[in-house]
Every structure is written in structure tokens, then in C-alpha cells.
Amino acid sequence: MNLKQLLDDKVTAAMTTVGIADAKAIVKQAQRSEFGHYQANGIMGAAKRQKTNPRELAAKVLEQLGDDKDLQLEIAGPGFINITLKPDFLAEALKGLQNSHRLGVDTAQSRVFVVDYSAPNLAKEMHIGHLRSTTIGDTAVRVLEFLGQKVIRANHVGDWGAQFGSLLAYMDQLASQGEELSSELKDLEKFYQSASALFRSDEAFASKARSFVVRLQGGDEKCLALWKKFIAESTRHCQAVYDQLNITLTASDIRAESAYNDVLPLVVDELEERQLLVESDGAKCVFLDGFIGKDDKPLPAIIQKSDGGYPYMATDLAAVRYRASTINAHEVLYFVGAQQQLHLRQVFAVATAAGYIGDHQRFRHLPFGWVLKADNTPFKTRDGADVKLVDVLNEAVDRAHRLVDEKNPGLSPEEKKTVARVVGIGAIKYAELSKNRTTDYIFDWDTMLSFEGNTAPYLQYAYTRIQSIFRRENISPTEIHGEFHLTDPAEFRLAVKLLQFGEAINGIIEDYQANILCNYLFDLAGIFMSFYEACPVLKATDPHRTSRLLLCHLTARTLHKGLDLLGIETVEQM
RNA sequence: GCCCUGGUAGCUCAGUUGGAUAGAGCAUCCGCCUCCUAAGCGGAGGGUCACAGGUUCGACUCCUGUUCAGGGCGCCA
């Protein structure tokens, strides 16, 4: 059940009945508590179109709605309709939530989604810049699956291209010097830096690196063997990060750039057949309307370079082709940085012109910005100035461990370890997910690893407080029987918020902004904390005690599910 | 030069197809643990929503211009 939708339908119907064409109730959650729980804003716009008095029109709509046993309605201000849910209705709705395994969230019509996210470059270690795509994409995946969609995770890792030349040449050199490769590869970042340094300083090495690129692309067996060894090591590294981060990606979700190598000539042929290809300066290009470069010159999408090589435009087109035709996806989501916006626009446009994307299929780019340091300078991907993702995660867990030592010394070492992991990792992910920005964002160590205020630990803490209530008197939450009996304002606020979980979930999938769910959960936790202070649970007498226990259990379930959708774990004590 | 983003409290950010008095967290200040976990609760201060016009009953939101910042614009990805 979706309260907002329910009310919107109801008021819209009444508006239509009183003769308003194209009626839209525009029901929203009330901005201020004195306005009730919801407000309909659509009357004023309708009155304007009809050139009538908005308050009089509102009165007509109200008359049409009549006496409602569930709702208290009133006209306010210039023509708002304020809606308050009556206590009996709230109690009944809560009962419905309590009996719903899905916390009142309906499943959507099942469609096929491909979600392209994370996509690290395997030549390097994962760094802080990968966090956003990975965490937001994973949340999108979890939410879509919760809504009953078929989701195919697509980890489009970079495992091909020129940067592998120097890596392979370096591996070859080390091997010939009798070095143990596997130990050298432990620190991928250092390995990459050493190789690049050699590439820049040693002309003989650079030329060897370039020849390795050619040999790799030509299918040279020795090169391929080295390449596979490197890719395997790098993939293991990524998986370790995913596991630590509680990301649902696995090795089977990897469909690397190289997986499309064989299809690239076919893509060129197909574009040729469609008469889209034009040769320009020796490169095979597609020129489309609406793409203008410098000096008003048409901007090409380069499909094949003059040296015969394929740029990532070709690979991305092959990926579109695969997702649209082979997987037959209805919707494909790209969680990719904002700097790729023009590129992806080109990819989608060329793919559409080529007939790869059908009318029923939707490809969307969900962009996000750079990671900046507190001094507004970007994290660069070279020179060792980057913060490695593993280091950030370990630091977060360490800080959380120091805190749990201080806050709850009574826990066993094992429990502390678990709490530190869950809280530390949760804080990192929540810091990412709770921001809506599609532009740059500041990574500040202290902000990101803060455990106070609007953070994951706050939500996790609210959860443990509830669990603590049940634990104290050995109450099994699923075996509480009785009715909801709401009297205190804090109980009403909590009740309404619990009923709005579905609205938050639906809000996410419009533009895949996880912060909508974060904001909801933070509100819910805050309202619960106030309720916790204002309304004793265990010391109350029935019917309040039972009702409050039921509210606690529903809150715990909602927090747990909401955090789970964000990929954040909970603990029983912290 | 052109295109895309963005500019909201000291800092980090919300603000849902235009709605009522622009909201949180952090930081600062004042209260609250004989009471279910103080990683908490209650309260206070803090704003020219970059700037200037326009559209209208009503603009942080839409339009135009200006400005500042970031990104992108032919063979790196």
C-alpha cells in the first residue's frame, strides 16, 4: 500500500467528478505537522486554469469527498487541502504492515534490467573513486530485486588496452630475473607504478611494452598467459574489496572489455551495412546530427582508429549490442562518472542509429562527480597520491574499533570485532549513498568516518536499542499479539513514518538516488529516538505496552530492511 | 569558442511534476543518565537560496542574461 498514491487517486477522482479536466491532486507529505499528514496542492493550479476561486473550488472537491471515516480533511491557506489520517485508520494500516512480509511494498511488473556498475580498471588497485559507482549501483540492484525485477549485474572491468603493455613487459622482465611474480603482484598499485616509471625512463623498456601490446592483441600465447595471470590476481583483489564492502558482485558478474573483442569487427561491418561509417583521417567514424565539436566541426564517434585498433567507443557499442539483443534488456543503467556523459550520449545515439536499441528499450546514464580532497584538489590516479580503497576501509574499521572499546567495553573481543566491521564499513557506504550530488563531492576523512548524526551508526544504533528492549525481557518480537493503540504524538509520528517506507522505495527508482532512502531511514530513526525518550515501553501498561512493542518491532524490521537495501549490516549490540 | 553540470547556514549536504514561516548533520552555546544503551534526547544562535531581470495568486524550483567552479569537445579509457 502506498498512502500517497491512495490519497492522490482519491482526491484526483473527486476533482474529476466536480468537472476539473486533467485533474491532478498533487498530494505530498505535509511540510509541517500542523498541516496534517499529507496535503493536496493541485486545486490552486486547477482553479487558475478554470479562472475560478481556489478556495471555492477546494470546497466543492471537499463536498464531493464527503465525510470520510479514515480521513480528516480541511481547506487551508490559498486553497490547499490538508489531510490528516485518523487514529483508527492508522492502527488498521499498521496492522496491514505488520502482516506484510514486504513491509507494504508492492512488487512491480517484472522487467529485465542490466546494471553496469563498479567497472574498475584491472591495471590498478581500486581507489576511493570507485566507491560511488560501486555502492550506488549495488543499492540500485538490491532495490530492483526487492521490487521483483530480473537484474543482471554487469561489471564492465577494464582488462584490455595499452596500459597492459608495460605491465606485461614488467612481469616478463621480473620473471626473467627470477623474481617471484605472485609476491610482487600483492601490491598492484606499486607494481603499476614501477612499470609506468620504467616506461617513462627506459626507452628500451617502453619499446618492449609497446610490442607487448601488439603481441597481446595478436593473440601471442606467452603474452596471453602473462595477461591471464595478471587479470586473475587483480580480479582477486577486487573481489576481496567487494566482500569487505558487502557488495553483491561476484566473479560471474564480470563481463570484461576483452569479452567483446571478437565482436568488434562485426560491429564495424554492421555500421558499414547501415551506411553509417565514414572514413576521416584514416579512422572509421560515425557522424550524427547534434554532435558538434570545436570550431563547429562535426564530432565523430570513432569506431576504428587509423591504425586498425578499436577505441572504447567500439567496445561500448558491442556491449550495448549484447545487452539489447542477446540479453534483451528492457532497461540498462550505467552508473558511470559524469565526465563520460558526452561519450555515452554518443554510444546510445550510434547504437540507436545502428538499430541495436529497440523502441521498448531504455538506456540511461546515471552520472556522478569527482572525488575531491578537503582542499578541493582531485584524487589523481597516479603518483601514489591516491587513497587506496582497502586502506580507507581498514581505517574505518580501526576507528570504529577504538570507539566500541570506549563505548561498550563489556563486549567480548569477537563481538567488538564484528561491531567494528559492521559500523566502520556501514559509515563509509552511508557517507557515499546519502549524497545526491551528480557533481563533485568532498572526501573528508573525519566526515566520512564520523559516527554521529546522519550516519549509518546512528541508524544501526537505533536498531540495537530496539533489540535491547526485546532482549532485556526475553521477548520474541514475532510472538507479540495485540492491537495498535496510539495516543502519544510521538507514536502517531512513528506510525505515519513507518507507513511511508514504500514511498521512499518508490522514490529511489525514479532516478536511482539512494539518498532518498537514506533520508527516510534517518527520519525514521530520529522519530524512533524521540519516541524512545518520550514513551517508556517495558514499563508501560497495556494496551500501551503491547502497542509500543509492536511499533518497536515494525521499526526494527523497517530499519533492517532499509539498511539491507543499502548494503549495510546491523548488529544486536554496539 | 561551443556543450553539459553545479553555486542553499562557518563546514558537509537535503529541499519530491512551482506552494504555506527554506531544513538536517557537524561545529558553537544551554539543559538532560537513581529511568528500556548518552554512538542518544530537548532547546538556542546562525540565510541577500551566486547576481540581475522576467513569467504568476505564489519562484530555491521555470525562462533569459551575467558571474564563478568543475567536466567534456578525432583516433587514452
Side-chain angles (χ1 to χ4, degrees):
Chain A
M1 185 191 60
N2 185 323
L3 277 180
K4 189 168 95 169
Q5 194 59 50
L6 196 84
L7 296 169
D8 199 290
D9 291 348
K10 204 165 191 165
V11 177
T12 299
M15 287 170 72
T16 304
T17 306
V18 300
I20 298 171
D22 298 326
K24 279 195 194 122
I26 313 186
V27 169
K28 300 182 176 185
Q29 292 175 19
Q31 290 194 332
R32 313 169 66 82
S33 55
E34 64 257 40
F35 300 150
H37 298 131
Y38 288 87
Q39 60 185 59
N41 296 342
I43 305 284
M44 290 167 288
K48 188 173 171 181
R49 286 196 304 273
Q50 289 195 345
K51 299 190 185 354
T52 55
N53 180 304
R55 281 191 69 102
E56 283 172 18
L57 187 59
K60 278 169 74 178
V61 174
L62 220 56
E63 193 182 344
Q64 174 62 34
L65 284 164
D67 278 340
D68 194 308
K69 69 177 171 56
D70 299 329
L71 313 173
Q72 183 189 320
L73 305 163
E74 63 182 22
I75 302 168
F80 299 97
I81 294 180
N82 289 346
I83 305 170
T84 303
L85 309 169
K86 292 183 182 172
D88 287 351
F89 174 72
L90 283 175
E92 197 179 325
L94 285 173
K95 198 83 183 171
L97 263 196
Q98 190 196 355
N99 294 327
S100 164
H101 292 299
R102 305 178 47 78
L103 290 161
V105 180
D106 301 325
T107 51
Q109 187 194 357
S110 184
R111 303 167 77 228
V112 178
F113 284 74
V114 170
V115 182
D116 182 325
Y117 69 109
S118 195
N121 182 345
L122 293 185
K124 305 168 196 172
E125 269 197 56
M126 289 183 78
H127 58 85
I128 191 75
H130 293 112
L131 202 49
R132 195 137 236 222
S133 172
T134 305
T135 52
I136 298 177
D138 207 50
T139 293
V141 163
R142 289 168 189 259
V143 170
L144 287 169
E145 287 186 336
F146 179 54
L147 290 172
Q149 308 290 8
K150 178 166 170 55
V151 179
I152 291 154
R153 294 162 176 77
N155 196 358
H156 191 77
V157 301
D159 67 340
W160 204 251
Q163 74 265 32
F164 285 91
S166 42
L167 286 168
L168 299 183
Y170 190 50
M171 285 173 80
D172 185 62
Q173 181 170 317
L174 287 176
S176 68
Q177 290 167 359
E179 301 280 344
E180 183 53 52
L181 272 182
S182 52
S183 67
E184 291 289 332
L185 285 170
K186 283 256 162 52
D187 190 338
L188 286 178
E189 197 59 26
K190 203 171 138 197
F191 194 89
Y192 176 77
Q193 280 163 24
S194 307
S196 328
L198 259 179
F199 186 88
R200 285 191 302 270
S201 66
D202 185 338
E203 188 42 50
F205 180 83
S207 126
K208 183 178 172 183
R210 281 188 283 268
S211 78
F212 266 65
V213 177
V214 177
R215 284 167 64 187
L216 179 65
Q217 286 171 343
D220 177 273
E221 281 188 25
K222 184 184 164 192
C223 279
L224 275 175
L226 282 173
W227 175 75
K228 280 178 183 162
K229 191 180 172 81
F230 185 88
I231 296 301
E233 188 59 36
S234 187
T235 304
R236 266 195 293 278
H237 157 77
C238 289
Q239 194 58 50
V241 173
Y242 293 148
D243 291 346
Q244 193 181 0
L245 253 183
N246 189 25
I247 296 296
T248 60
L249 286 168
T250 65
S252 63
D253 300 315
I254 291 179
R255 191 170 171 89
E257 287 180 342
S258 65
Y260 298 101
N261 283 351
D262 295 345
V263 191
L264 302 179
L266 186 60
V267 168
V268 171
D269 289 347
E270 287 173 346
L271 293 174
E272 192 89 67
E273 279 167 30
R274 289 257 175 175
Q275 299 187 326
L276 290 165
L277 278 189
V278 175
E279 191 157 315
S280 173
D281 295 338
K284 292 181 177 170
C285 308
V286 177
F287 291 93
L288 293 176
D289 290 345
F291 292 95
I292 307 294
K294 284 177 183 166
D295 305 323
D296 284 340
K297 281 162 67 181
L299 181 70
I302 297 174
I303 314 298
Q304 189 171 19
K305 298 188 287 182
S306 51
D307 66 2
Y310 297 97
Y312 77 144
M313 178 67 67
T315 315
D316 284 347
L317 279 170
V320 169
R321 186 180 178 278
Y322 175 76
R323 292 162 183 180
S325 306
T326 307
I327 295 180
N328 205 6
H330 294 103
E331 195 137 353
V332 183
L333 310 176
Y334 288 73
F335 289 93
V336 176
Q339 72 272 25
Q340 298 297 337
Q341 199 225 38
L342 178 59
H343 168 71
L344 284 173
R345 264 212 317 132
Q346 278 190 298
V347 170
F348 299 159
V350 174
T352 303
Y356 289 163
I357 300 177
D359 291 341
H360 64 294
Q361 297 177 307
R362 190 173 181 211
F363 280 65
R364 294 182 69 186
H365 177 207
L366 290 312
F368 48 86
W370 293 106
V371 185
L372 303 176
K373 292 178 185 173
D375 62 0
N376 274 327
T377 60
F379 279 76
K380 302 210 165 155
T381 51
R382 300 185 202 94
D383 308 324
D386 286 359
V387 179
K388 286 199 242 172
L389 199 39
V390 250
D391 291 344
V392 175
L393 301 184
N394 290 335
E395 174 71 17
V397 173
D398 286 349
R399 288 197 186 203
H401 201 282
R402 286 199 287 278
L403 196 66
V404 72
D405 262 335
E406 174 194 323
K407 299 274 185 189
N408 206 342
L411 293 179
S412 74
E414 281 308 306
E415 286 170 324
K416 283 180 184 169
K417 210 177 156 190
T418 302
V419 171
R421 180 178 60 78
V422 169
V423 166
I425 298 297
I428 291 280
K429 294 182 81 172
Y430 190 87
E432 283 284 329
L433 293 166
S434 59
K435 288 182 178 64
N436 172 37
R437 288 310 169 105
T438 54
T439 51
D440 303 342
Y441 69 109
I442 309 286
F443 172 86
D444 180 67
W445 206 271
D446 290 323
T447 307
M448 181 135 314
L449 300 187
S450 161
F451 302 112
E452 290 176 354
N454 189 359
T455 62
Y458 179 83
L459 307 181
Q460 292 164 325
Y461 181 63
Y463 180 81
T464 63
R465 280 185 138 183
I466 298 171
Q467 298 310 97
S468 171
I469 290 173
F470 294 128
R471 191 170 50 245
R472 175 166 285 260
E473 295 200 3
N474 274 318
I475 297 167
S476 170
T478 52
E479 284 165 25
I480 306 162
H481 298 291
E483 299 300 317
F484 287 94
H485 188 84
L486 311 174
T487 50
D488 193 281
E491 293 174 307
F492 283 110
R493 287 211 297 150
L494 184 56
V496 172
K497 201 72 198 178
L498 286 166
L499 290 165
Q500 291 169 339
F501 182 58
E503 291 172 32
I505 299 294
N506 285 319
I508 278 201
I509 54 170
E510 284 172 24
D511 286 309
Y512 302 96
Q513 294 169 345
N515 74 306
I516 290 178
L517 180 55
C518 293
N519 290 344
Y520 169 80
L521 292 174
F522 180 61
D523 281 351
L524 175 64
I527 289 169
F528 173 78
M529 292 289 196
S530 303
F531 160 82
Y532 181 94
E533 300 282 338
C535 304
V537 178
L538 295 173
K539 286 183 180 167
T541 53
D542 270 331
H544 302 287
R545 186 176 187 274
T546 298
S547 173
R548 286 173 184 172
L549 283 169
L550 288 170
L551 280 173
C552 283
H553 182 44
L554 257 184
T555 305
R557 284 176 61 204
T558 306
L559 284 172
H560 188 275
K561 185 65 203 176
L563 285 168
D564 179 57
L565 291 173
L566 297 174
I568 295 172
E569 296 176 81
T570 51
V571 286
E572 297 300 301
Q573 300 181 61
M574 62 186 268

